[in-house]
Amino acid sequence: MFTSNKHAVHSPYPDRLKEILTIASASESREWLSFWPIINMTGTPLWKLPGLARQLGIAHISIKDESTRSPLGSFKALGAPIALLRLIMRRWPEHNLSAQDLFAGRHRELLAHFTVISATDGNHGKALAAAAQAIGCGCVIVIHANVNAERELAIARYGARIVRTTGNYDQSVEEAARLAMENGWNVVSDTSYDGYEDVPRDVMQGYSTIAAEVIEQSNSLPDECAFTHVFVQGGVGGLAAGVVGHLWEFHQLRRPRFVVVEPEQADCLYQSAAAGQLRKATGSVDSLMAGLACGEASPLAWKILGPGADYFMTIDDTAAIQAMQVAAAGNAADPPLVVGESGAAGLAGLITLLQHPLGKAEAGLGPQSRVLLISTEGATAPSVYETCVGETAKSVLARQIEWLRVSRDTR
Ligand SMILES: Cc1ncc(COP(=O)(O)O)c(C=O)c1O
C-alpha cells in the first residue's frame, strides 16, 4: 500500500514545530551522548551502494548503518539515554547535574531510590536499561507476549527487572504506565500520550543525531541536499519525526521527499496519513519487524510527520527478509551489511515501490533519484537474523571485512 500525504506542507520549517525539535537542542543531545563511553560518536558509517542503485535503476543509494552505534546494536541508544538525562536534570535542578558526571555514575547515591520504567519491543528497553545501569538508577522494562527470549535476555543483561505481559506492544505501554503510577516510578517512553510529551520529545531529539551526521557525511548544504528521497521506517514514528524535523529545518524549502515505511500489520502511520488524523493500525500489529510492530502512532511524532512526510507505505514481512538478504549479500561494488529485520524496512520499501509504476511515478523516483536509507539495527536478535538471511551476522561481517580489504587493495 502506498499513499501520498495530502496534508504535507511545503513551507519553511514551521515555528510551532520548533517547540518540539530544533537543530540547536539536537546538537546539545549529540554532545551529551559523546560522554557515554559505549556510544560510537565518530559517527556510524554512511555506506554507498552503487551496485544496488544500478540494479534498481536509480542514481545513488546511501545507507546509514546504525548497527555500529553501540554494542546495543541499534539507533535506540541515541534516544532513551538522552531522555533519562533530561528527566533527572529536571527533577534535581538545584544540583546542576552534568551529562558527563551522570554517565560516569557520579550521582548513584542521589539516584539510589529513583526508578524508571518503560514498555519496549526490544531496542528502546535495552537502551534504557544500559543507560540506567551506567547512571545508577533502577530500571523496570515491560515486554509484551511476542518479544522473543533472546531480546529479553539482552535487556536483563543490563540489570533491568523484566515484567512480561500478555497482549501486544500497546498493552505493554498501558501496563508500564499503570506500574509507574502504582509504585511511584518514572516512565521513559518513546511514545507520547495525553499529558506525556517531554520525555518522548527528548527521545526524538536524540535520534536527530543520525540526520546531523548524514548532513556532514554527505556534504549536504542547506540549499543542496545530497538526497532527493529519504526512506525511513516507522514504529510509533519517533525516529521518522527526528529525521524529518532535522532535515526539514536544515534544508527548509529544499528538503528531500520523505517516504515513511511500516509493516502492513502495523500501519498506524499509513492509516493516519490516509485519514488526515491519528488512526490506529488495522492489522494484527504482530510483525517480524519487531521494532515497527506498533498499533498506535505517537501523537507528538505525528505533529511533525503529518505536515512533514510526503508519502506513507506498507510492506510485508517477506519484503523485509528479501531486503536483509540483499544487504547481506553485497556485490563487487557494495559491501555486505548486517541489517536486521526492522533495519531493512527502508530498503524493502524502496525495492517494493520501484516495482510499482504508479507509486514510483507519484513519488518521483527515477534514474536521477538519490536515496538515503537508514538501517536502524544490526542482528539484535541473532537467531532470527540467521534464520532470515541463512548466514550468521558474524559471517556477514567477516565478508564485509574481506570486501573492505579487497576494495582498498584495488583502489
Ligand atoms: C530497529 C528499529 N527501527 C525502527 C524503529 C522505529 O522507531 P519509532 O518507534 O520511533 O518509529 C524501532 C523502534 O523500536 C526499532 O527498534
Side-chain angles (χ1 to χ4, degrees), residues 74-76 120-124 169 190 207 233-240 269 290-292 294 342-343 376-377 380:
S74 85
F75 79 103
K76 287 271 168 180
T120 191
D121 35 37
N123 291 323
H124 171 73
Y169 174 74
D190 55 358
Y207 298 160
Q233 48 276 68
V236 300
L239 164 73
L269 298 167
L292 312 183
C294 310
S342 298
T376 47
E377 68 177 346
T380 52

Side-chain angles (χ1 to χ4, degrees), residues 155-378:
I155 300 167
R157 210 171 284 139
Y158 290 97
R161 200 185 115 200
I162 309 281
V163 176
R164 189 180 276 274
T165 61
T166 52
N168 62 21
Y169 174 74
D170 302 304
Q171 281 142 349
S172 65
V173 171
E174 283 164 24
E175 179 62 4
R178 194 191 66 75
L179 284 171
M181 185 79 92
E182 202 172 277
N183 295 288
W185 297 335
N186 301 272
V187 177
V188 180
S189 172
D190 55 358
T191 194
S192 67
Y193 40 89
D194 245 5
Y196 182 80
E197 292 201 333
D198 288 353
V199 168
R201 178 203 58 215
D202 297 342
V203 169
M204 295 193 307
Q205 264 170 18
Y207 298 160
S208 296
T209 294
I210 297 172
E213 285 181 5
V214 165
I215 288 169
E216 290 163 12
Q217 291 168 315
S218 63
N219 298 318
S220 284
L221 299 169
D223 276 353
E224 212 179 301
C225 181
F227 304 101
T228 55
H229 296 76
V230 179
F231 281 69
V232 57
Q233 48 276 68
V236 300
L239 164 73
V243 170
V244 168
H246 198 94
L247 293 180
W248 190 359
E249 188 181 355
F250 186 75
H251 293 295
Q252 299 289 336
L253 285 166
R254 302 266 185 161
R255 70 177 161 88
R257 301 187 199 206
F258 295 105
V259 187
V260 176
V261 185
E262 288 175 292
E264 61 189 7
Q265 310 91 311
D267 56 352
C268 52
L269 298 167
Y270 175 91
Q271 292 299 339
S272 301
Q277 55 183 297
L278 278 171
R279 286 275 187 269
K280 289 188 182 180
T282 52
S284 65
V285 177
D286 191 21
S287 164
L288 174 75
M289 295 166 263
L292 312 183
C294 310
E296 291 183 43
S298 165
L300 191 67
W302 187 250
K303 284 186 188 167
I304 292 179
L305 296 179
D310 301 284
Y311 312 100
F312 290 81
M313 66 178 293
T314 59
I315 52 163
D316 59 26
D317 286 355
T318 312
I321 296 173
Q322 282 163 357
M324 291 167 78
Q325 293 171 350
V326 166
N331 56 55
D334 305 343
L337 297 176
V338 177
V339 176
E341 306 86 87
S342 298
L347 174 56
L350 172 65
I351 294 172
T352 304
L353 193 51
L354 286 169
Q355 288 161 355
H356 288 90
L358 281 180
K360 176 180 165 184
E362 207 169 326
L365 277 170
Q368 309 302 324
S369 299
R370 300 176 61 81
V371 173
L372 171 67
L373 306 171
I374 302 168
S375 170
T376 47
E377 68 177 346

